[in-house]
Amino acid sequence: MHKCCIQTQTQQTTLTKSTAFSKKKKIRSNCNGNSNSNGNSNGIGGKSIMSNCHSNDGDDNHTDADATCPVAITDATRDHIKRRVRTAYDFFDQTLMQYKIAQLIFCFNGGKDCTVLLDLLMGYCAQRNIDSGQIPMLYIESDDSFEEIDDFVQHCVRRYKVKLIKYKDSLKVALTQMTHDMPLIKAVFVGSRNTDPYCDKLKAMQKTDSDWPDMMRLNPLLEWSYHDIWHYIHMYKVPYCSLYARGYTSIGYKSNTFPNPHLLCAECATAAAAAGAEAATPCYRPAWELADPTMERAGRHSSK
C-alpha cells in the first residue's frame, strides 16, 4: 500500500514498509562496487552511505566508516536540494502557526520518502529548540512486514529520540483508535509525493476524507521527485533501508514486493548463466541508480 492511503476511499488502508539500516547482515555485493569489504552495502550503517560527503552523527553500533559517496552531487543539484529543504522548513513554520506541537504526529513506514521527511522534521525541531520527543511517530505493524523495516523503525527511534506509537491493523483503524487514545492530535505528517498513486491532486495541507477520522494531512514532500529523495539522502548521510541497496525501489509487504526488474544486473545474469549457476541469486543495482523514475513501483504487485 502506498503512502496516500489517507487520501482516497478506494485504496487499501495499511502502510507501506521499508528500512535504512541492517542488523549487520551479509548483503550480496552489487556489481557497481557499492559494498565494502565487510560485505555490508553502503548505507547499511547507522551513519549511512556518505562518510566522505557530509559529517553527521548516528548510531555508533551501526557504523559503516569505509562507505563513500555512491553518486556525484553537482553544485546545481546541491543548490536545488537546499531550496527544497528551505521550502520544507517554511512549511513547518506554517504548520506551527496553525497547530500546537501537542496536536501533531508523524506517520512513519520506514520508506525512503518518510525517512527524508523524518530527517527534515527532526532537523527543523533541532533548529527551533523543539524536543524531538514532542512529535510522536505512528507506525503500523504487520505480520507481513520485512524484518529490515521493523529493525529500521527501532533504529530511527533511537537515532532521532522520538516516541513510538504502534498499532496493528489498517491505517484507517489505527487513526480511529489513535483519535480515541490521543484526542489532542489534529494533524499528521505524511511522506507522500505527487507522483505516488492517487496523490497527483493532493494539497500540502488537506483534510482526510469524510469517512476517515477528522484530521489534517500534512504533505511537505509533494513536489519532491524520486531522485530528489535520493540526492537528499546522499547529501546529508541519512540512514536508509538496507533493502534499497539491494534493488528495491518501492517497498510494501514481503508478499507483494520484490527487487525492481529494471535494476537487474545483466552482466551478473549473463556470467551466472555462462558458469551454469542457474540457481544463483540475482544481483541488482541500488535504488538510486533507477534511470526512469516512472518505474519506481515496478517491483510492487498491485493486488495487495
Side-chain angles (χ1 to χ4, degrees):
M1 173 181 173
H2 53 75
K3 299 174 294 300
C4 305
C5 51
I6 310 178
Q7 188 223 352
T8 177
Q9 302 175 22
T10 58
Q11 46 187 122
Q12 186 181 339
T13 55
T14 49
L15 272 177
T16 314
K17 310 238 181 215
S18 334
T19 306
F21 98 116
S22 160
K23 278 188 170 179
K24 297 291 185 182
K25 291 182 179 178
K26 290 281 186 177
I27 295 178
R28 185 176 179 83
S29 174
N30 289 314
C31 307
N32 58 2
N34 283 330
S35 294
N36 65 21
S37 59
N38 294 326
N40 291 323
S41 293
N42 292 338
I44 303 310
K47 292 193 177 180
S48 190
I49 52 180
M50 295 200 336
S51 58
N52 293 339
C53 296
H54 187 282
S55 62
N56 197 0
D57 59 332
D59 183 343
D60 291 336
N61 293 322
H62 304 283
T63 299
D64 186 0
D66 297 329
T68 57
C69 183
V71 296
I73 305 293
T74 66
D75 289 341
T77 295
R78 190 174 297 277
D79 290 342
H80 171 71
I81 297 303
K82 287 180 178 179
R83 287 193 296 272
R84 291 289 198 208
V85 172
R86 288 194 295 270
T87 300
Y89 276 36
D90 289 343
F91 180 88
F92 299 148
D93 281 336
Q94 181 185 358
T95 298
L96 288 181
M97 291 175 65
Q98 299 186 42
Y99 297 96
K100 299 177 181 178
I101 289 291
Q103 295 178 308
L104 302 174
I105 196 167
F106 182 91
C107 195
F108 191 72
N109 62 19
K112 61 188 183 302
D113 302 329
C114 64
T115 296
V116 167
L117 182 50
L118 173 62
D119 192 77
L120 282 166
L121 184 58
M122 293 300 103
Y124 173 86
C125 287
Q127 276 198 9
R128 301 300 192 271
N129 294 316
I130 299 170
D131 186 348
S132 61
Q134 291 186 269
I135 304 179
M137 173 193 288
L138 174 65
Y139 178 58
I140 313 300
E141 295 181 296
S142 170
D143 293 335
D144 195 24
S145 66
F146 286 93
E147 179 185 354
E148 292 89 340
I149 291 295
D150 296 329
D151 292 340
F152 181 55
V153 171
Q154 294 300 325
H155 172 73
C156 287
V157 169
R158 295 191 301 272
R159 176 182 173 87
Y160 296 103
K161 298 178 175 60
V162 294
K163 179 181 179 181
L164 181 63
I165 307 296
K166 296 192 293 185
Y167 290 96
K168 191 171 184 178
D169 208 311
S170 68
L171 179 59
K172 185 175 182 179
V173 171
L175 288 176
T176 301
Q177 184 63 43
M178 186 197 71
T179 57
H180 178 269
D181 297 339
M182 307 172 68
L184 288 180
I185 301 296
K186 301 299 179 185
V188 54
F189 287 104
V190 184
S192 300
R193 292 185 289 114
N194 58 20
T195 54
D196 293 329
Y198 306 100
C199 293
D200 57 315
K201 292 181 172 58
L202 270 182
K203 298 176 182 178
M205 289 190 179
Q206 187 165 321
K207 280 279 190 179
T208 50
D209 293 327
S210 58
D211 61 338
W212 281 68
D214 185 21
M215 192 166 297
M216 182 66 75
R217 296 175 300 240
L218 306 173
N219 306 294
L221 300 185
L222 282 181
E223 302 300 321
W224 289 53
S225 72
Y226 177 83
H227 290 111
D228 285 344
I229 294 295
W230 282 110
H231 285 141
Y232 178 91
I233 289 172
H234 292 157
M235 280 177 59
Y236 296 112
K237 293 189 61 180
V238 181
Y240 59 90
C241 174
S242 61
L243 295 174
Y244 289 115
R246 293 183 274 168
Y248 291 81
T249 54
S250 177
I251 304 172
Y253 296 107
K254 289 186 292 185
S255 60
N256 73 349
T257 307
F258 48 93
N260 194 314
H262 296 279
L263 290 173
L264 179 65
C265 179
E267 291 84 356
C268 279
T270 301
E278 297 180 359
T281 302
C283 181
Y284 292 86
R285 292 178 288 118
W288 54 86
E289 291 192 10
L290 184 68
D292 183 358
T294 65
M295 295 293 105
E296 177 181 355
R297 296 178 66 86
R300 294 281 295 276
H301 288 302
S302 59
S303 57
K304 190 172 177 68

